[in-house]
Amino acid sequence: MPGLVAGDQYDDLTGAVQQIILSSSESDYLDQLIPLLKNAETQTQVTPLIHALNHVSADREAQIETICNSNHQEFINSVNQLQSVREGTVNLTSEIMELSRSIQASTEKIAEQKKALVESRGVRQNIDEATQALKDCLEVLRLANQVHDLLGKKNHYAALRALDELQNVHLREVTRYKIAEMIERSVPATQRLIADAVMMDLNTWLYRIRETSQFLGEVAFYHTEMRRTRQKERGEKDEYLGSFKLNSAVELVADEPEEFDVLNNEEVQVDFSPLFECLHIHNALGETEKFRADYAATRRRQKDLLIPQAINLLDEESSSLSSLLEGAAGFAIVEKATMQKTENFRAQSDVDELWDSMCQSVVSLISSALHNVDNDENLLKIKGVIALFIQTMDSWGYPVSSLDSLLLTLFDKYSSLLKKRFSDDFQEIVSTDDYMPMPINNAEEYTKVISVSWYTPPAGQERPEDIQYPCVLPFSQMYPLVCIDIRNFLNQIYLFSDDHFRHTTVIDKTLKESLDELLVDKVCKSLVDRLSSQYPGQIVQILTNLNHFEDACNDLEDLLVEARSSSSAAGPVKLNATSQFNAAKKRAETRIFELVNSKIDDLIETAEYDWLSNYIPDSASPYIQELTRYLSNTMNMVLLGLPEQMKERIYFEALTHVGEALLSLPLDPGVRRISPQAVAAYRIDIDDLISYVEALPEAPGLIDSLTPLRQTTDLMGLAAEGKGEEFFDSSKSHTRFGQVDKIKGAELLEKVFTAPPEPAPRRERMSILPDFSGSREDVSKKPSTHFGDFRDRLGGFTKRDRS
């Protein structure tokens, strides 16, 4: 058996057996045995191992036998022990074999279990990966559904944020799945849905803004009206504050405690959230420029929809114009607020372009409808609405120059209508006047007339209670009526500038020109046209009225300076009407001279002197008596209403004409010779006239008008006495005959002769002149029937006139 084992192999097994034998414990024994059993060749070497073990056993038995030979007993014991060992070895070998089989079976089982474990771990990992992928996909689907849910709830920005998170975060985690590709392809469409939805909401907001614009403008107008009221109250309390206009820096500071948000108040609230959201979403989508362009186009279309095709300016309430301007104001306020609340969204140029376009449309619309307006009160209402619009827009920083130009056009139309209305009124007043001194029945009438007229009562009549009623004022009723209209005209012209009108110099210029035209064309010329009347009393009344109108023009010039609208204008105001009334006065005086002189000529033409008479009358000729009576009536009745200075001047001119007319009688070429008796009769008449004049209160100023006549009469008397040579004595002539014309004096000296008259019977002079007393003007005649109308106008004046 041992010989069957190869030498090297045997030596290895022997060494291994030796190690097994030398093991200190069973465990070490097994540790040495197991590697041999696990060897791939172990299964074929078990027998050689057994042989090796047998060989070792034989060696050990030989050793034991050797030992036993010396120690038999011990040998026997050793043999027994060896047998026990052998039996143990056999048992051990069996166990080893069993163990080997068991290990082999266990190894196969473990390998199968390990394989099953590996397979189960792979399945589990796949399951886990599938589960995670499913979770990721479900999260993506949840976010995708959430985007649409938020879109349905109109949470557009939240939907866009969720879509952005889905695209940039969650889709990247599932890029290897097809669902990511599907959702990725749907993102632009979803973004478009969000953009369309937010634009739909914005369009709804824009529509509401368009519907709210008019009400917004109405609230803004009301706020401006309240600011006007507060500024007026401040001006009443403090004159300095009252000098500042609306929207001036001082007014804005003073009104700060009354701060009012036009866009957010109890009446109207404008929420810009839809615009902000839409702007933010388009910014996130990178479509800001496109959105800006679309929004601008939409606003331009809405601006066009605000402007109607035509406007009705004849509405008494100006509702059509108010609606137009309120809508324009609301539109512009929203534009300005949009520009203030956003950054780089609405360019200033775009807003200004819209405003300019809207202003041009409004101006064109109003201008085209102005020709239908023929009432100045309607124009004043229209101006008030436009001024309110201008002041409201000026407070928002919009340029209003084009609207100011529109106001200038309105003022031209307004002043023309006013001038036409007052022109007709003046014409009616002048044409219906009775041209009689104005009677006053009581103190109330007197107070009203004095309050509206530029009239200074004479001393002692300043207070109504100092006058005894009824009384008569020097002017006719046309004068206070014209004064009322002048004051009304002034007030209504200046009413145009009360709210807002920057062309104040135009008002002052137009007012002056219009007053000149009205007073000159409708009053002065009308009065001058009536100077053709043959009634001295009417001419005198016209002259009185002209005098008062001239005084009124002087006062009116001062009033125009005080009421001047332009603070930059300086210097006095000169009305052409003042000089025109003065010139008309001179024409009226001339006309009075003509009528008086004509009457004087008619009376003097009735003089019948017998220049060759030898009879000396006892009294003055009848024509001289009629002449002095006519002069007295003219002075005391016809010229009664004239100022003393003017009356004296007319009287002086009349007496001068009387003197010239009387001098013309003896100087007539038909009179060749004049008897002393005729000179005496002529001198009696002249002395009677001079005595009449000397008896007048105004004699010192009037008697000089008859000096040439008196000196000439004295010269004729000296000639009749044969002392005519004194006229040629320069030492005496200069004193007694200084105002006698040398040629006429010489002519009269030639005509007067000194021959004694032939006796002639005495006879009484008889008047062959008609009685002119019945033709005199009676100032006590009953008042004109128009005076009742005048009292009505005075009552209405207290309501109309603001002065």
Side-chain angles (χ1 to χ4, degrees):
M1 291 293 292
L4 296 174
V5 182
D8 292 336
Q9 186 177 4
Y10 181 78
D11 290 339
D12 292 336
L13 292 176
T14 302
V17 172
Q18 290 295 332
Q19 291 178 356
I20 293 172
I21 294 173
L22 294 176
S23 296
S24 58
S25 65
E26 290 183 359
S27 61
D28 290 339
Y29 168 77
L30 292 175
D31 289 337
Q32 295 294 329
L33 183 60
I34 288 174
L36 295 176
L37 295 176
K38 287 184 177 180
N39 195 322
E41 298 179 357
T42 301
Q43 301 297 328
T44 59
Q45 292 178 353
V46 173
T47 302
L49 178 59
I50 294 174
H51 291 168
L53 289 174
N54 290 331
H55 178 71
V56 171
S57 175
D59 289 343
R60 290 301 178 99
E61 286 179 357
Q63 292 176 2
I64 292 170
E65 185 178 357
T66 303
I67 293 171
C68 287
N69 287 333
S70 59
N71 294 310
H72 179 71
Q73 189 59 40
E74 293 176 3
F75 176 76
I76 292 173
N77 292 335
S78 297
V79 172
N80 292 332
Q81 291 179 356
L82 185 58
Q83 287 180 347
S84 298
V85 170
R86 186 175 181 181
E87 290 176 0
T89 302
V90 173
N91 293 334
L92 183 60
T93 301
S94 299
E95 290 177 2
I96 289 173
M97 294 298 293
E98 186 64 28
L99 179 61
S100 177
R101 287 193 295 274
S102 177
I103 289 172
Q104 184 177 359
S106 176
T107 301
E108 292 176 357
K109 185 177 181 180
I110 289 171
E112 292 176 357
Q113 290 178 349
K114 183 176 181 180
K115 182 179 179 181
L117 179 61
V118 170
E119 292 177 354
S120 64
R121 284 180 177 176
V123 172
R124 182 177 179 181
Q125 184 177 358
N126 291 337
I127 292 173
D128 292 342
E129 291 177 355
T131 302
Q132 185 62 39
L134 184 60
K135 288 181 179 179
D136 294 340
C137 293
L138 289 174
E139 179 66 16
V140 169
L141 288 174
R142 185 188 67 80
L143 289 174
N145 291 331
Q146 185 182 16
V147 170
H148 290 277
D149 291 341
L150 292 172
L151 190 58
K153 295 177 182 178
K154 297 191 179 300
N155 293 332
H156 305 115
Y157 184 67
L160 186 64
R161 289 292 301 273
L163 183 63
D164 182 69
E165 181 182 357
L166 174 64
Q167 183 181 14
N168 296 321
V169 179
H170 297 283
L171 281 183
R172 292 183 179 181
E173 298 176 357
V174 294
T175 53
R176 60 186 180 275
Y177 307 119
K178 193 170 184 61
I179 190 172
E181 182 182 352
M182 296 173 60
I183 294 178
E184 183 72 27
R185 287 199 305 267
S186 69
V187 166
T190 306
Q191 290 177 340
R192 190 74 265 152
L193 285 176
I194 295 174
D196 292 343
V198 76
M199 280 301 296
M200 186 179 297
D201 287 353
L202 180 67
N203 290 333
T204 302
W205 178 77
L206 286 172
Y207 175 77
R208 291 175 180 172
I209 287 294
R210 176 191 163 197
E211 295 296 318
T212 311
S213 291
Q214 182 178 345
F215 185 59
L216 178 62
E218 183 180 350
V219 172
F221 282 9
Y222 175 78
H223 172 55
T224 303
E225 190 65 44
M226 292 299 100
R227 287 175 56 204
R228 281 182 181 176
T229 304
R230 290 193 294 269
Q231 179 63 11
K232 183 178 180 181
E233 292 173 353
R234 284 191 289 267
E236 293 173 354
K237 296 177 182 178
D238 189 337
E239 185 177 353
Y240 175 73
L241 290 178
S243 63
F244 293 97
K245 298 293 185 181
L246 207 69
N247 294 324
S248 64
V250 173
E251 186 274 332
L252 292 174
V253 171
D255 205 59
E256 279 184 352
E258 305 293 338
E259 186 175 355
F260 180 80
D261 188 357
V262 176
L263 296 168
N264 188 14
N265 51 75
E266 294 180 357
E267 300 295 334
V268 61
Q269 296 84 32
V270 179
D271 184 13
F272 285 86
S273 298
L275 174 62
F276 298 153
E277 183 180 28
C278 193
L279 178 61
H280 203 59
I281 286 175
H282 282 83
N283 187 30
L285 294 174
E287 297 180 354
T288 304
E289 292 300 326
K290 180 178 180 299
F291 171 60
R292 182 183 298 159
D294 292 344
Y295 183 85
T298 301
R299 291 299 281 170
R300 281 194 294 271
R301 288 193 297 271
Q302 286 191 331
K303 182 268 298 180
D304 295 335
L305 291 175
L306 276 175
I307 309 301
Q309 295 296 323
I311 187 173
N312 180 21
L313 296 181
L314 300 179
D315 182 8
E316 293 184 359
E317 300 298 328
S318 301
S319 57
S320 179
L321 177 63
S322 297
S323 299
L324 171 64
L325 296 183
E326 286 168 359
F331 181 90
I333 289 173
V334 170
E335 281 297 295
K336 184 68 73 170
T338 302
M339 189 174 66
Q340 293 173 351
K341 293 177 181 294
T342 58
E343 184 176 356
N344 298 327
F345 175 60
R346 293 291 286 157
Q348 181 70 48
S349 59
D350 292 340
V351 176
D352 290 343
E353 181 184 356
L354 277 179
W355 169 251
D356 292 340
S357 175
M358 188 161 56
C359 285
Q360 291 176 5
S361 300
V362 169
V363 170
S364 175
L365 200 60
I366 295 176
S367 300
S368 61
L370 268 181
H371 69 279
N372 295 323
V373 182
D374 56 358
N375 184 282
D376 55 275
E377 294 181 359
N378 285 349
L379 268 180
L380 199 59
K381 293 178 182 178
I382 293 170
K383 183 263 174 183
V385 177
I386 296 175
L388 191 62
F389 175 64
I390 291 176
Q391 290 176 327
T392 302
M393 293 297 96
D394 190 27
S395 65
W396 281 87
Y398 281 104
V400 293
S401 56
S402 60
L403 297 171
D404 282 335
S405 299
L406 175 62
L407 287 185
L408 191 58
T409 304
L410 282 177
F411 177 71
D412 290 340
K413 177 85 172 179
Y414 176 74
S415 59
S416 299
L417 290 177
L418 268 184
K419 188 163 60 176
K420 182 179 183 303
R421 178 161 67 87
F422 281 94
S423 175
D424 296 341
D425 205 7
F426 282 9
Q427 188 70 38
E428 181 183 0
I429 291 171
V430 173
S431 61
T432 58
D433 190 51
D434 57 4
Y435 294 95
M436 294 291 294
M438 183 176 180
I440 299 295
N441 297 322
N442 51 55
E444 182 181 0
E445 288 183 3
Y446 182 83
T447 302
K448 288 181 179 180
V449 171
I450 297 302
S451 65
V452 301
S453 304
W454 286 282
Y455 172 66
T456 302
Q461 297 184 10
E462 292 85 357
R463 297 184 303 173
E465 56 269 19
D466 296 335
I467 301 174
Q468 184 176 0
Y469 300 98
C471 66
V472 176
L473 294 179
F475 43 76
S476 65
Q477 68 179 17
M478 70 168 291
Y479 176 68
L481 290 177
V482 170
C483 289
I484 289 176
D485 276 353
I486 290 175
R487 292 183 185 273
N488 286 337
F489 185 75
L490 286 171
N491 290 332
Q492 294 191 36
I493 284 288
Y494 282 124
L495 273 178
F496 201 89
S497 64
D498 277 357
D499 297 332
H500 173 85
F501 190 69
R502 295 177 179 175
H503 307 279
T504 52
T505 55
V506 176
I507 286 184
D508 297 331
K509 180 181 178 182
T510 303
L511 180 58
K512 177 183 177 301
E513 293 175 352
S514 299
L515 281 176
D516 268 333
E517 184 175 344
L518 288 172
L519 291 173
V520 172
D521 294 344
K522 300 304 176 182
V523 178
C524 184
K525 288 185 178 179
S526 297
L527 292 178
V528 169
D529 291 341
R530 290 181 177 272
L531 291 179
S532 59
S533 171
Q534 298 298 320
Y535 299 100
Q538 186 176 15
I539 304 300
V540 168
Q541 188 60 59
I542 292 174
L543 176 59
T544 303
N545 290 348
L546 288 171
N547 185 59
H548 282 90
F549 277 122
E550 182 183 11
D551 294 339
C553 286
N554 291 322
D555 294 337
L556 188 57
E557 289 173 349
D558 297 334
L559 180 60
L560 290 177
V561 173
E562 295 176 1
R564 184 179 282 155
S565 300
S566 175
S567 58
S568 61
V573 175
K574 291 297 182 182
L575 290 172
N576 294 330
T578 307
S579 60
Q580 292 292 328
F581 279 118
N582 185 268
K585 277 174 50 180
K586 294 179 181 179
R587 292 188 61 178
E589 291 177 4
T590 302
R591 179 60 180 163
I592 292 176
F593 296 154
E594 292 175 356
L595 292 178
V596 172
N597 293 344
S598 176
K599 184 67 175 180
I600 290 172
D601 292 341
D602 291 342
L603 290 173
I604 293 177
E605 284 179 0
T606 62
E608 294 184 352
Y609 285 106
D610 183 5
W611 298 107
L612 298 177
S613 170
N614 56 6
Y615 169 72
I616 300 176
D618 295 332
S619 60
S621 301
Y623 88 91
I624 285 292
Q625 296 177 11
E626 287 295 332
L627 179 62
T628 55
R629 183 166 41 180
Y630 169 75
L631 292 176
S632 178
N633 290 337
T634 301
M635 175 67 73
N636 297 326
M637 301 178 68
V638 179
L639 304 181
L640 181 63
L642 293 177
E644 291 298 325
Q645 184 178 4
M646 187 179 298
K647 183 165 60 174
E648 290 180 12
R649 184 168 64 254
I650 293 177
Y651 218 171
F652 185 87
E653 295 291 337
L655 290 175
T656 301
H657 182 73
V658 168
E660 294 175 351
L662 290 175
L663 278 176
S664 67
L665 293 177
L667 290 171
D668 187 274
V671 178
R672 298 184 179 275
R673 303 288 288 171
I674 303 175
S675 67
Q677 292 79 5
V679 170
Y682 180 72
R683 189 167 186 176
I684 290 173
D685 292 341
I686 301 304
D687 290 342
D688 185 75
L689 175 64
I690 293 174
S691 298
Y692 162 74
V693 174
E694 289 177 342
L696 294 174
E698 304 86 355
L702 298 177
I703 197 63
D704 292 339
S705 63
L706 297 178
T707 299
L709 176 63
R710 183 172 57 181
Q711 291 183 359
T712 302
T713 306
D714 291 342
L715 176 61
M716 292 174 66
L718 286 176
E721 295 175 1
K723 301 178 181 179
E725 65 276 1
E726 291 185 9
F727 179 69
F728 301 103
D729 186 353
S730 60
S731 61
K732 296 180 180 179
S733 176
H734 181 72
T735 303
R736 295 187 62 182
F737 311 111
Q739 296 190 30
V740 177
D741 185 86
K742 299 302 182 182
I743 297 177
K744 293 179 180 180
E747 184 180 350
L748 288 173
L749 288 177
E750 292 180 359
K751 291 184 178 183
V752 176
F753 62 90
T754 58
E758 297 179 358
R762 296 177 60 88
R763 57 188 178 88
E764 296 293 334
R765 281 190 172 179
M766 298 182 62
S767 175
I768 61 172
L769 298 176
D771 186 3
F772 293 97
S773 60
S775 64
R776 301 188 187 104
E777 301 290 342
D778 187 1
V779 297
S780 62
K781 64 181 295 187
K782 298 178 68 176
S784 169
T785 56
H786 298 296
F787 188 68
D789 297 338
F790 170 64
R791 285 198 294 269
D792 295 340
R793 295 182 66 155
L794 282 177
F797 168 71
T798 58
K799 300 178 182 179
R800 271 196 326 177
D801 199 339
R802 303 191 315 152
S803 297

